[in-house]
């Protein structure tokens, strides 16, 4: 027994360096995440990763890893908490003045100190550039920014209880004036910040193919990193991404799994690959250029609302991964209601025909529905074919469907080239304001010509005065009734989120939040 006691530690001592080396190798091996998001720098949109321009989920998922914000939404959701800031809060009772104090010792990844002046510079830069992508609208309520030492004070034009959420988004990312010009977007795929990772991008021509995130040793903030290195690889479709997971080329895939993949993974128990459902707040909708002759008459849009069968659409294309939506505000968000069902009820061709006849609109109405081929998943083409078939079946519409890559689609949509187009929305923050303002407020994401002054000048400002967001429910009810009557947008469905990962990857349940933000720092390896 004594001999065993003496020998075993000796053997353990011999094995220890080998085991430690194996462990170090495993931990240092990058966790590889797949995505079908596409990242393209084109002549029309040369700066996809500049915080003053970026306004899609894919780009924000790059920026959240690299560019620090004053606040962030914590792992489990809820109200924003300090990140680059040590403390933040309103200094008045009407939510018009907001002060943040920076953490001490903050630096950019290159070692340059982060100051309150950098925060001021970054915010004012977004407002000065005011890109046509709608990004600046999140900060447009800022009147002036004041700095004193390590303090930043934001003076707002009107009260806004949602302002802390807006400061937690990448549009409010803290940038260095040495790397980002005050009046010009930064082209290409480079990003510099003070966030938890530094990033290097690989690209093939105008398309980025891989992003390598490495732990930033100078990072100081509220985030705890559970890995040293993560790679994000882009795939043209979910099928190719799934094959990469099967072959162990990637460790996780998040955006976006196909319905068939989700069905296979959830119905078949496997030891090597796990599928995780996480709460989702994505919505899909049709948008309208209300100045285009084909849909300028409100009755045309109302007739579409009266005949599109959301339930049949979801069943045919998305199955259990989505549910019909009759409001811009999804379920589980304060202010959710069903105004489109309340106004139009079940699909009714006779009612649609009367709407068109009463308005003097000749039938069939010729429409072209536009969608993006490479941004929301393979089912998008099927979805628009199904919508076309529903409209054509009424004999009230003559419909053509056209698809385009996201880089061309988004540019054309903002320009007003499309009368009817399909888009998805992943919330910037989980508040009803973010399902209303981006579509209806000034400088909105859609660049829509539709204007309702009651909504813009009275109801949206009134909703933001409510620090208790439940108290704003009645106002959002009024807004949604107006949307259902005017139909500047037509909500279709709300989606669920799924993540597939290899069994040795940990933290998967936290790596994708309700806003579809990738929190890559949550990922690790092991069995914990």
């Amino acid at each position: 027994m004594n001999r065993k006691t003496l020998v075993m530690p000796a053997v353990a001592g011999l094995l220890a360096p080998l085991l430690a080396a194996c462990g170090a190798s495993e931990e240092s091996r990058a966790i590889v995440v797949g995505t079908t998001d596409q990242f393209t720098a084109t002549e029309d949109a040369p700066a996809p990763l500049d915080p003053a321009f970026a306004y899609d989920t894919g780009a924000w998922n790059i920026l959240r890893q690299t560019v620090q914000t004053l606040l962030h939404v914590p792992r489990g959701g809820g109200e924003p908490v300090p990140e680059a800031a040590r403390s933040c809060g309103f200094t008045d009772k009407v939510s018009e003045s907001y002060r943040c104090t920076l953490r001490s010792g903050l630096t950019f990844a290159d070692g340059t100190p982060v100051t309150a002046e950098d925060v001021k510079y970054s915010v004012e830069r977004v407002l000065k550039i005011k890109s046509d992508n709608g990004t600046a609208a999140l900060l447009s309520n800022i009147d002036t920014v004041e700095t004193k030492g390590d303090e930043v004070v934001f003076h707002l034009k009107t009260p806004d209880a949602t302002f802390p959420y807006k400061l937690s988004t990448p549009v409010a990312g803290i940038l260095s004036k040495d790397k980002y010009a005050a009046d010009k977007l930064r082209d290409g795929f480079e990003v510099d910040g003070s966030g938890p990772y530094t990033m290097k991008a690989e690209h093939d021509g105008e398309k980025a193919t891989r992003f390598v995130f490495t732990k930033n040793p100078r990072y100081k903030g509220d985030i705890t990193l559970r890995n040293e290195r993560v790679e994000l690889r882009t795939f043209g479709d979910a099928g190719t991404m799934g094959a990469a997971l099967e072959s162990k080329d990637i460790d996780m895939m998040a955006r976006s799994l196909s319905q068939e993949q989700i069905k296979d993974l959830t119905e078949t128990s496997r030891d090597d690959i796990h599928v995780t459902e996480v709460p989702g707040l994505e919505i899909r909708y049709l948008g309208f250029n209300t100045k285009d002759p084909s849909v300028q008459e409100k009755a045309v849009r109302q007739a579409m609302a009266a005949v599109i069968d959301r339930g049949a659409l979801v069943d045919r294309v998305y199955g259990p991964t989505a549910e019909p939506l009759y409001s811009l505000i999804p379920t589980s968000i304060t202010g959710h209601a069903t105004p489109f069902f309340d106004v139009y009820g079940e699909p009714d061709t006779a009612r649609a025909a009367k709407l068109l006849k009463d308005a003097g609109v000749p039938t069939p109405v010729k429409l072209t529905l536009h969608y993006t081929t490479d941004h929301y998943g393979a089912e998008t083409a099927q979805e628009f074919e199904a919508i076309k078939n529903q409209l054509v079946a009424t004999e009230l519409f003559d419909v053509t469907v056209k698809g385009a890559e996201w880089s061309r689609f988004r540019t054309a949509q903002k320009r007003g080239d499309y009368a009817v187009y399909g888009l998805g929305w992943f919330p910037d923050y989980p508040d009803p304001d973010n399902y209303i303002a981006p579509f209806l407020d000034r400088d909105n994401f859609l660049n829509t010509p539709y204007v309702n002054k009651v909504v813009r000048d009275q109801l949206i400002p009134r909703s933001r005065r409510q620090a208790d967001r439940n108290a704003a429910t009645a106002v959002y009810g009024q807004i949604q009734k107006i949307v259902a009557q005017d139909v500047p947008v037509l909500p279709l469905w709300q989606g669920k989120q799924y993540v597939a990962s290899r069994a040795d990857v940990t933290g998967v349940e936290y790596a994708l939040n309700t806003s579809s933000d990738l929190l890559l720092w949550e990922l690790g390896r092991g069995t914990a």
Side-chain angles (χ1 to χ4, degrees):
M1 186 161 183
N2 285 339
R3 264 197 312 241
K4 288 181 180 178
T5 305
L6 292 170
V7 171
M8 288 303 292
V11 174
L14 291 171
L15 289 174
L18 179 60
L19 292 172
C22 290
S25 175
E26 181 68 12
E27 289 176 4
S28 61
R29 183 164 64 91
I31 296 171
V32 185
V33 178
T35 180
T36 56
D37 285 325
Q38 302 298 304
F39 305 88
T40 308
T42 65
E43 185 176 347
D44 289 328
L49 299 182
D50 190 315
F53 176 85
Y55 205 8
D56 65 86
T57 302
W60 274 21
N61 281 338
I62 303 298
L63 294 174
R64 287 189 187 279
Q65 324 304 320
T66 50
V67 177
Q68 202 170 13
T69 48
L70 289 169
L71 302 105
H72 77 126
V73 175
R75 165 199 268 192
E79 296 183 1
V81 298
E83 213 288 75
R86 174 162 49 89
S87 63
C88 285
F90 284 106
T91 61
D92 60 354
K93 293 183 179 180
V94 293
S95 303
E96 280 188 319
S97 182
Y98 195 77
R99 175 183 286 120
C100 289
T101 304
L102 292 181
R103 293 178 186 269
S104 61
L106 286 177
T107 69
F108 292 106
D110 64 2
T112 307
V114 174
T115 68
E117 285 297 322
D118 291 314
V119 177
K120 174 181 167 74
Y121 174 83
S122 302
V123 168
E124 291 180 342
R125 175 179 181 271
V126 171
L127 296 173
K128 182 175 184 179
I129 292 174
K130 197 178 180 181
S131 81
D132 65 356
N133 215 23
T135 321
L138 282 172
L139 304 180
S140 62
N141 194 31
I142 294 175
D143 186 19
T144 59
V145 184
E146 179 185 356
T147 63
K148 183 178 181 181
D150 59 357
E151 288 188 348
V152 187
V153 181
F154 300 92
H155 299 288
L156 308 181
K157 298 172 185 175
T158 58
D160 185 2
T162 71
F163 187 67
Y165 281 107
K166 295 168 182 175
L167 286 183
S168 73
T169 65
V171 67
I174 305 170
L175 309 174
S176 166
K177 59 178 69 69
D178 296 332
K179 302 289 178 67
Y180 292 84
D183 56 358
K184 183 179 181 297
L185 293 171
R186 183 179 183 179
D187 294 352
F189 299 107
E190 288 186 300
V191 179
D192 289 281
S194 56
Y197 295 100
T198 58
M199 184 276 286
K200 295 292 183 184
E202 296 180 6
H203 60 92
D204 182 8
E206 63 182 16
K207 289 191 175 183
T209 57
R210 183 170 74 139
F211 299 91
V212 180
F213 300 97
T214 304
K215 184 177 180 179
N216 176 11
R218 291 190 171 97
Y219 170 72
K220 290 185 178 180
D222 190 57
I223 293 168
T224 300
L225 279 74
R226 291 168 171 80
N227 57 65
E228 297 286 329
R229 192 164 173 260
V230 184
E231 294 182 15
L232 187 66
R233 294 184 190 172
T234 66
F235 293 87
D237 56 77
T240 307
M241 181 171 63
L245 185 69
E246 289 281 358
S247 63
K248 301 183 181 180
D249 288 338
I250 64 175
D251 300 294
M252 186 182 99
M253 57 180 187
R255 280 182 38 83
S256 298
L257 281 69
S258 69
Q259 179 194 347
E260 194 62 35
Q261 286 173 325
I262 295 167
K263 184 174 183 290
D264 290 345
L265 290 168
T266 52
E267 292 181 357
T268 305
S269 178
R270 296 183 55 170
D271 293 332
D272 59 335
I273 295 177
H274 297 163
V275 63
T276 305
E277 181 180 348
V278 293
L281 294 173
E282 170 194 5
I283 68 169
R284 296 285 180 88
Y285 58 93
L286 294 178
F288 299 94
N289 175 358
T290 53
K291 283 190 176 179
D292 188 283
S294 63
V295 293
Q296 187 173 24
E297 174 57 62
K298 180 168 62 175
V300 174
R301 308 191 301 270
Q302 291 175 328
M304 293 176 69
V307 297
I308 288 179
D309 189 335
R310 294 167 177 81
L313 177 67
V314 167
D315 288 344
R316 180 179 177 85
V317 182
Y318 295 101
T321 66
E323 57 184 299
L325 182 65
Y326 297 91
S327 165
L328 276 177
I329 301 173
T331 58
S332 79
I333 292 290
T334 299
H336 170 73
T338 56
F340 276 85
F341 187 83
D342 299 341
V343 173
Y344 301 100
E346 297 291 346
D348 188 340
T349 299
R351 180 174 183 183
K354 186 176 187 306
L355 284 166
L356 294 171
K357 182 179 179 180
D358 290 349
V361 177
T363 58
V365 179
K366 288 191 175 183
L367 296 175
T368 300
L369 308 183
H370 295 266
Y371 73 96
T372 173
T373 58
D374 61 344
H375 198 65
Y376 298 120
E379 289 90 355
T380 310
Q382 301 171 43
E383 176 183 356
F384 273 75
E385 197 62 30
I387 294 172
K388 170 188 170 180
N389 291 339
Q390 287 187 8
L391 293 173
V392 170
T394 66
E395 300 184 356
L396 299 173
F397 297 93
D398 178 4
V399 181
T400 301
V401 172
K402 290 185 178 180
E405 291 186 355
W406 175 252
S407 56
R408 290 191 294 115
F409 172 88
R410 176 66 172 138
T411 301
Q413 179 270 314
K414 287 186 296 184
R415 226 175 17 227
D417 295 354
Y418 302 152
V420 189
Y421 51 86
L423 280 172
W425 183 253
F426 302 85
D428 308 325
Y429 47 90
D431 186 275
D433 178 77
N434 197 236
Y435 289 93
I436 297 298
F439 307 105
L440 305 174
D441 208 356
R442 293 175 180 81
D443 303 320
N444 58 72
F445 169 74
L446 297 180
N447 198 26
T448 177
Y450 171 79
V451 176
N452 185 294
K453 290 188 176 181
V454 172
V455 171
R456 284 192 182 182
D457 300 338
Q458 300 177 32
L459 297 179
I460 289 177
R462 190 186 307 167
S463 72
R464 290 172 175 168
R465 295 190 188 102
Q466 302 292 344
D468 177 0
R469 303 308 289 150
N470 289 318
T473 298
V475 180
Y476 288 118
Q478 290 179 262
I479 294 173
Q480 282 293 276
K481 287 179 181 177
I482 292 171
V483 172
Q485 287 291 344
D486 289 355
V487 200
V489 289
L490 178 56
L492 297 173
W493 55 267
Q494 175 181 349
K496 300 177 183 178
Q497 293 190 120
Y498 295 85
V499 176
S501 60
R502 302 209 65 84
D504 66 334
V505 179
T506 61
V508 174
E509 66 272 28
Y510 300 116
L512 194 68
N513 68 14
T514 56
S515 297
S516 297
D517 303 325
L518 273 176
L519 312 181
L520 296 180
W521 53 81
E522 296 286 359
L523 298 175
R525 291 190 189 277
T527 57

